[in-house]
Amino acid sequence: MTLRTERPVVRARSGRRPLPPLIFLVALALVALGVWWNVFRADAERQAEQDAACAEAEAAPQALDPATVSVRVFNASDQGGLAQSVADDLAARGFTIAEVANDRSGREVTGVGEVRHGPSGKGTAAFVALYLPGAGSWQDTRATQQVDLVLGPGFVIGESLATDDEVNATLDEAEEATAAC
């Protein structure tokens, strides 16, 4: 007679160890985390580039009708008749020339020139600056939108003023950049 116990039969171990699959799952999770980290970083960089481009597009000058822009042309160089020559050129392009004279402000102007304006004339000054690439900008306290174009010692007749085609190309680029935002 054999004696039987009511205990279930113990199965033999399968020989599998839980540690290797756990290590594999942790490594897989780290790889997935690395991939997502790169995705989020690249997206943040792309968003920052787009924000910078949009900020630049917002700062771009707006196209204006030259007939609505009042410009005073001043000569701050040693070249005689320079202000009158530039004023004639701008008038031929449709600008309203308010005054032509030598610069009496006492400010030292370097390079090709300087565009002076008041707070309300910032957009108008940006438009006028398209016609004199490389010109500096100076904001004073005037209340009008009138702009002073001060010609410096680096100004060269026939070379320093931008052509209408160059100005239009710059305005088109600014418009495209604004549309992309």
Side-chain angles (χ1 to χ4, degrees):
M1 219 183 297
T2 42
L3 207 19
R4 284 187 148 215
T5 61
E6 296 295 324
R7 282 197 277 165
V9 179
V10 176
R11 293 184 180 181
R13 289 183 66 163
S14 66
R16 293 187 184 169
R17 296 181 187 166
L19 195 56
L22 287 176
I23 291 173
F24 175 74
L25 288 175
V26 168
L28 189 62
L30 288 174
V31 168
L33 181 67
V35 168
W36 280 108
W37 176 266
N38 284 334
V39 167
F40 287 133
R41 186 176 48 85
D43 185 54
E45 288 175 2
R46 184 190 55 77
Q47 186 64 37
E49 289 173 2
Q50 184 177 4
D51 290 346
C54 289
E56 186 177 314
E58 288 176 9
Q62 298 294 321
L64 299 175
D65 179 14
T68 64
V69 178
S70 177
V71 180
R72 297 187 305 181
V73 182
F74 296 126
N75 187 358
S77 73
D78 295 335
Q79 300 177 50
L82 183 62
Q84 186 62 53
S85 173
V86 171
D88 292 342
D89 189 346
L90 292 176
R93 297 177 192 210
F95 285 92
T96 302
I97 305 300
E99 182 181 354
V100 177
N102 287 327
D103 184 30
R104 300 176 300 272
S105 70
R107 282 186 43 83
E108 182 179 346
V109 179
T110 59
V112 294
E114 184 173 76
V115 179
R116 297 179 187 158
H117 58 90
S120 65
K122 193 176 255 186
T124 307
F127 178 71
V128 172
L130 292 175
Y131 287 87
L132 189 59
S137 179
W138 175 260
Q139 183 173 324
D140 54 23
T141 58
R142 73 183 78 178
T144 65
Q145 289 191 4
Q146 188 171 51
V147 175
D148 295 347
L149 185 62
V150 185
L151 307 172
F155 187 89
V156 177
I157 294 176
E159 293 179 14
S160 295
L161 281 181
T163 64
D164 288 334
D165 291 338
E166 293 169 337
V167 170
N168 290 334
T170 303
L171 289 171
D172 289 344
E173 289 174 10
E175 187 177 316
E176 289 173 7
T178 303
C181 292

